Amino acid sequence: MKTRVLMVCLGNICRSPLAEGILKSKVDPNKVSIDSAGTGSWHVDHLPDPRSISVGKRYGVDITGQRGRQFEPADFDRFDHIYVMDTSNYDDVIAQARNEEDKNKVQLILDEIFPGEKVDVPDPYHGGEHGFENVFQMLDEACEIIASKLNKE
């Protein structure tokens, strides 16, 4: 049975599509399925931000097949692990949890690098290219750790 992972950010066009694409590039697709979603609905059915697409391509990660979608409570049933990009996303997702089992599936993605420190992946949307590069590097490091765990399952 496949392990199912969901990446969540605010709009599902910058951080979570990159996290989805990066993790997909590091795991066996026969063993792990990955998706992404946003807590907001502004970008449903939209392509990822062109700056996310650009930084991904620079590292061989193609996210152009993704489309934005909104997180919903049913995602707790569909996914084994839910990684959120920041504490605001965490609060939004936890608010939709129906029970402790749902809550236990959710964690900040950078907890993989900085356990218990509640470090956010900064939202690069209103910044320039440099912000997207920084986000890619953070997510790549976190996804390397996640992939090593998933590849052992």
Coordinates of all heavy atoms in Angstrom, one line a residue, residues 46-109:
H46 N -5.4 26.9 -10.7 CA -4.4 27.7 -11.3 C -3.1 26.9 -11.4 O -2.8 26.1 -10.5 CB -4.1 29.0 -10.5 CG -5.3 29.9 -10.5 ND1 -5.2 31.2 -10.0 CD2 -6.5 29.8 -11.0 CE1 -6.3 31.8 -10.1 NE2 -7.2 31.0 -10.7
L47 N -2.2 27.2 -12.3 CA -0.9 26.7 -12.4 C -0.1 27.3 -11.2 O -0.4 28.3 -10.7 CB -0.2 27.2 -13.6 CG -0.4 26.4 -14.9 CD1 0.1 27.2 -16.1 CD2 0.3 25.1 -14.8
P48 N 1.0 26.6 -10.8 CA 1.9 27.2 -9.8 C 2.4 28.5 -10.3 O 2.5 28.8 -11.5 CB 3.0 26.2 -9.6 CG 2.4 24.9 -10.0 CD 1.4 25.2 -11.1
D49 N 2.9 29.4 -9.3 CA 3.4 30.7 -9.7 C 4.6 30.5 -10.6 O 5.4 29.5 -10.5 CB 4.0 31.3 -8.3 CG 4.5 32.7 -8.5 OD1 5.5 32.9 -9.1 OD2 3.8 33.6 -8.0
P50 N 4.7 31.3 -11.7 CA 5.8 31.2 -12.6 C 7.2 31.2 -12.0 O 8.1 30.5 -12.5 CB 5.7 32.4 -13.5 CG 4.3 32.8 -13.4 CD 3.8 32.4 -12.0
R51 N 7.4 31.9 -10.8 CA 8.7 31.9 -10.2 C 9.0 30.5 -9.5 O 10.1 30.1 -9.5 CB 8.7 33.0 -9.1 CG 8.6 34.4 -9.8 CD 8.3 35.5 -8.9 NE 7.0 35.3 -8.3 CZ 6.4 36.1 -7.4 NH1 7.1 37.2 -6.9 NH2 5.2 35.9 -6.9
S52 N 7.9 29.8 -9.0 CA 8.1 28.5 -8.5 C 8.4 27.5 -9.6 O 9.3 26.7 -9.5 CB 6.8 28.0 -7.7 OG 6.7 28.6 -6.5
I53 N 7.7 27.7 -10.7 CA 8.0 26.8 -11.9 C 9.5 27.0 -12.3 O 10.2 26.0 -12.6 CB 7.0 27.1 -13.0 CG1 5.6 26.7 -12.7 CG2 7.5 26.5 -14.3 CD1 4.5 27.1 -13.6
S54 N 9.9 28.3 -12.4 CA 11.3 28.6 -12.8 C 12.3 28.0 -11.9 O 13.3 27.4 -12.4 CB 11.4 30.1 -12.9 OG 12.7 30.5 -13.2
V55 N 12.2 28.2 -10.6 CA 13.2 27.7 -9.7 C 13.2 26.1 -9.7 O 14.3 25.5 -9.7 CB 13.1 28.2 -8.3 CG1 11.9 27.7 -7.5 CG2 14.4 28.0 -7.5
G56 N 12.0 25.5 -9.8 CA 12.0 24.1 -9.9 C 12.7 23.6 -11.2 O 13.5 22.6 -11.1
K57 N 12.4 24.2 -12.3 CA 13.1 23.8 -13.5 C 14.6 23.9 -13.4 O 15.3 23.0 -14.0 CB 12.6 24.6 -14.7 CG 11.3 24.2 -15.3 CD 10.9 24.9 -16.5 CE 9.6 24.4 -17.0 NZ 9.0 25.2 -18.2
R58 N 15.1 24.9 -12.8 CA 16.5 25.1 -12.6 C 17.2 23.9 -11.9 O 18.3 23.6 -12.1 CB 16.8 26.4 -11.8 CG 18.1 27.0 -12.0 CD 18.2 28.5 -11.6 NE 17.6 28.9 -10.4 CZ 16.6 29.8 -10.4 NH1 16.1 30.3 -11.5 NH2 16.1 30.2 -9.2
Y59 N 16.4 23.2 -11.1 CA 16.9 22.0 -10.4 C 16.3 20.7 -10.9 O 16.4 19.7 -10.2 CB 16.6 22.1 -8.9 CG 17.4 23.3 -8.3 CD1 16.9 24.5 -8.1 CD2 18.8 23.1 -7.9 CE1 17.6 25.6 -7.6 CE2 19.5 24.1 -7.4 CZ 18.9 25.4 -7.2 OH 19.7 26.4 -6.7
G60 N 15.7 20.7 -12.1 CA 15.2 19.5 -12.7 C 13.9 19.0 -12.1 O 13.5 17.9 -12.2
V61 N 13.1 19.9 -11.5 CA 11.8 19.6 -10.9 C 10.7 20.3 -11.7 O 10.6 21.5 -11.6 CB 11.8 20.0 -9.4 CG1 10.4 19.7 -8.8 CG2 12.8 19.3 -8.6
D62 N 9.9 19.5 -12.4 CA 8.9 20.1 -13.2 C 7.5 20.0 -12.5 O 7.0 18.9 -12.1 CB 8.7 19.3 -14.5 CG 7.7 19.8 -15.5 OD1 7.1 20.9 -15.2 OD2 7.5 19.2 -16.5
I63 N 7.0 21.2 -12.2 CA 5.7 21.3 -11.5 C 4.6 21.8 -12.3 O 3.5 22.2 -11.8 CB 5.8 22.1 -10.1 CG1 6.3 23.5 -10.4 CG2 6.8 21.4 -9.2 CD1 6.3 24.4 -9.2
T64 N 4.8 21.9 -13.6 CA 3.8 22.5 -14.5 C 2.6 21.6 -14.7 O 1.5 22.1 -15.2 CB 4.4 22.7 -15.9 OG1 4.9 21.5 -16.5 CG2 5.5 23.8 -15.9
G65 N 2.6 20.4 -14.3 CA 1.4 19.5 -14.3 C 0.4 19.7 -13.2 O -0.7 19.1 -13.1
Q66 N 0.8 20.5 -12.2 CA 0.0 20.7 -11.0 C -1.0 21.8 -11.2 O -0.8 22.7 -11.9 CB 0.9 21.1 -9.8 CG 1.9 20.0 -9.4 CD 2.8 20.4 -8.2 OE1 2.3 21.1 -7.3 NE2 4.0 20.0 -8.2
R67 N -2.1 21.7 -10.4 CA -3.1 22.7 -10.4 C -3.5 23.0 -8.9 O -3.6 22.0 -8.2 CB -4.4 22.4 -11.2 CG -4.1 22.2 -12.7 CD -3.7 23.5 -13.4 NE -3.5 23.4 -14.8 CZ -2.3 23.0 -15.3 NH1 -1.3 22.7 -14.5 NH2 -2.1 22.9 -16.6
G68 N -3.8 24.2 -8.6 CA -4.1 24.5 -7.2 C -5.4 23.9 -6.8 O -6.4 23.8 -7.6
R69 N -5.5 23.5 -5.5 CA -6.7 23.0 -4.9 C -6.7 23.4 -3.5 O -5.7 23.7 -2.9 CB -6.9 21.5 -5.1 CG -6.0 20.7 -4.3 CD -6.4 19.2 -4.4 NE -5.8 18.3 -3.5 CZ -6.2 18.1 -2.2 NH1 -7.3 18.7 -1.8 NH2 -5.6 17.2 -1.4
Q70 N -7.9 23.4 -2.9 CA -8.1 23.8 -1.5 C -8.1 22.6 -0.6 O -8.7 21.6 -0.9 CB -9.3 24.6 -1.3 CG -9.4 25.2 0.1 CD -10.6 26.3 0.2 OE1 -11.5 26.3 -0.7 NE2 -10.6 27.0 1.2
F71 N -7.5 22.7 0.6 CA -7.5 21.7 1.6 C -8.9 21.5 2.1 O -9.7 22.5 2.2 CB -6.6 22.0 2.8 CG -6.6 21.0 3.8 CD1 -5.7 19.9 3.8 CD2 -7.5 21.1 4.9 CE1 -5.7 19.0 4.8 CE2 -7.5 20.1 5.9 CZ -6.6 19.0 5.8
E72 N -9.3 20.2 2.3 CA -10.6 19.9 2.9 C -10.5 18.8 3.9 O -9.5 18.1 3.9 CB -11.6 19.5 1.8 CG -11.1 18.3 0.9 CD -11.9 18.1 -0.3 OE1 -12.7 19.0 -0.7 OE2 -11.9 17.0 -0.8
P73 N -11.5 18.8 4.8 CA -11.4 17.8 5.9 C -11.2 16.3 5.4 O -10.5 15.5 6.0 CB -12.7 17.9 6.7 CG -13.0 19.4 6.5 CD -12.6 19.7 5.1
A74 N -11.7 16.0 4.2 CA -11.6 14.7 3.7 C -10.1 14.3 3.4 O -9.8 13.1 3.3 CB -12.4 14.5 2.4
D75 N -9.3 15.3 3.3 CA -7.8 15.1 3.1 C -7.2 14.3 4.3 O -6.3 13.6 4.1 CB -7.1 16.4 2.9 CG -7.3 16.9 1.5 OD1 -7.5 16.2 0.5 OD2 -7.3 18.2 1.3
F76 N -7.8 14.4 5.4 CA -7.3 13.6 6.6 C -7.5 12.2 6.3 O -6.7 11.3 6.8 CB -8.1 14.1 7.9 CG -7.7 15.4 8.4 CD1 -8.6 16.4 8.4 CD2 -6.4 15.6 8.9 CE1 -8.2 17.7 8.9 CE2 -6.0 16.9 9.4 CZ -7.0 17.9 9.4
D77 N -8.5 11.8 5.6 CA -8.8 10.4 5.3 C -7.9 9.9 4.1 O -7.5 8.7 4.0 CB -10.2 10.1 4.9 CG -11.2 10.5 6.0 OD1 -10.8 10.2 7.2 OD2 -12.3 11.0 5.7
R78 N -7.6 10.8 3.2 CA -6.8 10.5 2.0 C -5.3 10.4 2.2 O -4.6 9.8 1.4 CB -7.1 11.5 0.9 CG -8.5 11.4 0.3 CD -8.7 12.2 -0.9 NE -8.8 13.6 -0.7 CZ -10.0 14.2 -0.7 NH1 -11.1 13.5 -0.8 NH2 -10.1 15.5 -0.5
F79 N -4.8 11.0 3.3 CA -3.3 11.2 3.4 C -2.9 10.7 4.8 O -3.6 10.8 5.8 CB -2.9 12.6 3.2 CG -3.1 13.1 1.8 CD1 -4.3 13.8 1.5 CD2 -2.2 12.8 0.8 CE1 -4.6 14.2 0.2 CE2 -2.5 13.2 -0.5 CZ -3.7 13.9 -0.8
D80 N -1.6 10.1 4.8 CA -1.0 9.6 6.0 C -0.2 10.6 6.7 O -0.1 10.6 7.9 CB -0.1 8.4 5.6 CG -0.8 7.3 4.8 OD1 -1.8 6.8 5.4 OD2 -0.4 7.0 3.7
H81 N 0.4 11.5 5.9 CA 1.2 12.6 6.4 C 0.8 13.9 5.8 O 0.7 14.0 4.6 CB 2.7 12.4 6.1 CG 3.2 11.1 6.6 ND1 3.6 10.8 7.9 CD2 3.5 9.9 5.9 CE1 4.0 9.6 8.0 NE2 4.0 9.0 6.8
I82 N 0.6 15.0 6.6 CA 0.3 16.3 6.1 C 1.3 17.3 6.6 O 1.4 17.5 7.8 CB -1.1 16.7 6.5 CG1 -2.2 15.7 6.0 CG2 -1.5 18.1 6.0 CD1 -3.6 15.9 6.5
Y83 N 2.1 17.8 5.6 CA 3.2 18.7 6.0 C 2.7 20.1 5.6 O 2.3 20.4 4.5 CB 4.5 18.4 5.2 CG 5.1 17.2 5.7 CD1 5.0 16.0 5.1 CD2 6.0 17.2 6.8 CE1 5.6 14.8 5.5 CE2 6.6 16.1 7.3 CZ 6.4 14.9 6.7 OH 7.0 13.8 7.1
V84 N 2.7 21.0 6.6 CA 2.3 22.4 6.3 C 3.6 23.3 6.3 O 4.6 23.0 6.9 CB 1.3 22.9 7.4 CG1 0.0 22.1 7.3 CG2 1.9 22.8 8.8
M85 N 3.5 24.4 5.6 CA 4.6 25.3 5.4 C 4.9 26.3 6.5 O 6.0 26.7 6.7 CB 4.5 26.1 4.1 CG 4.4 25.2 2.9 SD 5.8 24.1 2.6 CE 5.0 22.5 2.5
D86 N 3.8 26.7 7.3 CA 4.0 27.6 8.4 C 3.0 27.5 9.5 O 2.1 26.7 9.3 CB 4.1 29.1 7.8 CG 2.8 29.5 7.2 OD1 1.7 29.1 7.6 OD2 2.9 30.3 6.2
T87 N 3.2 28.2 10.5 CA 2.3 28.0 11.7 C 0.9 28.5 11.4 O -0.1 27.9 12.0 CB 2.8 28.8 12.9 OG1 3.1 30.1 12.6 CG2 4.1 28.1 13.5
S88 N 0.7 29.4 10.5 CA -0.6 29.8 10.1 C -1.4 28.7 9.4 O -2.5 28.4 9.6 CB -0.6 31.1 9.3 OG -1.9 31.5 8.8
N89 N -0.6 28.1 8.4 CA -1.2 26.9 7.7 C -1.5 25.8 8.7 O -2.6 25.1 8.6 CB -0.2 26.3 6.7 CG 0.3 27.3 5.7 OD1 1.4 27.2 5.2 ND2 -0.5 28.3 5.3
Y90 N -0.6 25.6 9.7 CA -0.8 24.6 10.7 C -2.1 24.8 11.5 O -3.0 23.9 11.6 CB 0.4 24.5 11.7 CG 0.2 23.5 12.7 CD1 0.7 22.2 12.5 CD2 -0.4 23.8 14.0 CE1 0.6 21.2 13.5 CE2 -0.5 22.8 15.0 CZ 0.0 21.5 14.7 OH -0.2 20.6 15.7
D91 N -2.3 26.0 11.9 CA -3.5 26.4 12.7 C -4.8 26.2 11.8 O -5.8 25.7 12.3 CB -3.5 27.8 13.2 CG -2.4 28.1 14.2 OD1 -1.9 27.1 14.8 OD2 -2.0 29.2 14.5
D92 N -4.7 26.6 10.5 CA -5.9 26.4 9.6 C -6.2 25.0 9.4 O -7.4 24.6 9.3 CB -5.6 27.1 8.3 CG -5.5 28.6 8.4 OD1 -6.0 29.2 9.4 OD2 -5.0 29.3 7.4
V93 N -5.2 24.1 9.2 CA -5.5 22.7 9.0 C -6.0 22.0 10.3 O -6.9 21.3 10.3 CB -4.2 22.0 8.4 CG1 -4.4 20.5 8.4 CG2 -3.9 22.5 7.0
I94 N -5.3 22.3 11.4 CA -5.7 21.7 12.7 C -7.1 22.1 13.0 O -7.9 21.3 13.6 CB -4.7 22.1 13.8 CG1 -3.4 21.4 13.6 CG2 -5.3 21.9 15.2 CD1 -3.4 19.9 13.8
A95 N -7.6 23.3 12.7 CA -8.9 23.8 12.9 C -10.0 22.9 12.2 O -11.1 22.8 12.7 CB -9.1 25.2 12.5
Q96 N -9.6 22.2 11.2 CA -10.5 21.3 10.4 C -10.4 19.9 10.9 O -11.2 19.0 10.4 CB -10.2 21.4 8.9 CG -10.5 22.8 8.4 CD -10.2 22.9 6.9 OE1 -10.9 22.2 6.1 NE2 -9.3 23.8 6.5
A97 N -9.4 19.6 11.8 CA -9.3 18.2 12.3 C -10.5 17.8 13.0 O -11.1 18.6 13.8 CB -8.0 18.1 13.1
R98 N -10.9 16.5 12.8 CA -12.1 16.0 13.5 C -11.8 15.3 14.8 O -12.6 15.0 15.6 CB -12.8 15.0 12.5 CG -13.2 15.7 11.2 CD -13.4 14.7 10.1 NE -12.1 14.0 9.9 CZ -12.0 13.2 8.9 NH1 -12.9 12.9 8.0 NH2 -10.8 12.5 8.7
N99 N -10.5 14.9 14.9 CA -10.1 14.1 16.1 C -8.6 14.1 16.3 O -7.9 14.7 15.5 CB -10.6 12.6 16.0 CG -10.2 12.0 14.6 OD1 -9.0 12.1 14.2 ND2 -11.2 11.4 14.0
E100 N -8.1 13.4 17.3 CA -6.6 13.4 17.6 C -5.9 12.7 16.4 O -4.8 13.1 16.1 CB -6.3 12.8 18.9 CG -6.6 13.6 20.1 CD -5.9 14.9 20.1 OE1 -4.7 15.0 19.9 OE2 -6.6 16.0 20.2
E101 N -6.5 11.7 15.8 CA -5.8 11.0 14.7 C -5.5 11.9 13.6 O -4.4 11.9 13.0 CB -6.7 9.8 14.3 CG -6.0 9.0 13.2 CD -6.9 7.9 12.7 OE1 -7.9 7.5 13.4 OE2 -6.6 7.3 11.6
D102 N -6.5 12.8 13.3 CA -6.3 13.8 12.2 C -5.1 14.7 12.6 O -4.2 15.0 11.8 CB -7.6 14.6 12.0 CG -8.7 13.9 11.3 OD1 -8.5 12.7 10.9 OD2 -9.8 14.5 11.2
K103 N -5.2 15.2 13.8 CA -4.2 16.2 14.3 C -2.8 15.6 14.2 O -1.8 16.3 13.9 CB -4.5 16.7 15.7 CG -5.7 17.6 15.8 CD -6.0 17.9 17.2 CE -7.3 18.8 17.3 NZ -7.7 19.1 18.7
N104 N -2.7 14.3 14.6 CA -1.4 13.7 14.6 C -0.7 13.5 13.2 O 0.5 13.2 13.1 CB -1.5 12.3 15.3 CG -1.7 12.4 16.8 OD1 -1.4 13.4 17.4 ND2 -2.4 11.4 17.4
K105 N -1.5 13.7 12.2 CA -1.0 13.6 10.8 C -0.3 14.9 10.4 O 0.4 14.9 9.4 CB -2.1 13.2 9.8 CG -2.7 11.9 10.0 CD -3.7 11.6 9.0 CE -4.3 10.2 9.1 NZ -5.2 9.9 8.0
V106 N -0.5 16.0 11.1 CA -0.1 17.3 10.6 C 1.2 17.7 11.3 O 1.3 17.6 12.6 CB -1.2 18.3 10.9 CG1 -0.8 19.7 10.4 CG2 -2.5 17.9 10.3
Q107 N 2.2 18.2 10.6 CA 3.4 18.8 11.2 C 4.0 19.8 10.2 O 3.7 19.8 9.0 CB 4.4 17.7 11.5 CG 5.2 17.2 10.3 CD 6.3 16.3 10.8 OE1 6.0 15.1 11.2 NE2 7.5 16.7 10.8
L108 N 4.7 20.8 10.8 CA 5.4 21.8 10.1 C 6.6 21.0 9.3 O 7.3 20.2 9.9 CB 6.0 22.8 11.0 CG 5.1 23.8 11.6 CD1 5.8 24.5 12.8 CD2 4.6 24.8 10.6
I109 N 6.7 21.3 8.0 CA 7.7 20.6 7.2 C 9.1 20.9 7.7 O 10.0 20.0 7.7 CB 7.6 21.0 5.7 CG1 8.4 20.0 4.9 CG2 7.9 22.4 5.4 CD1 8.1 20.0 3.4

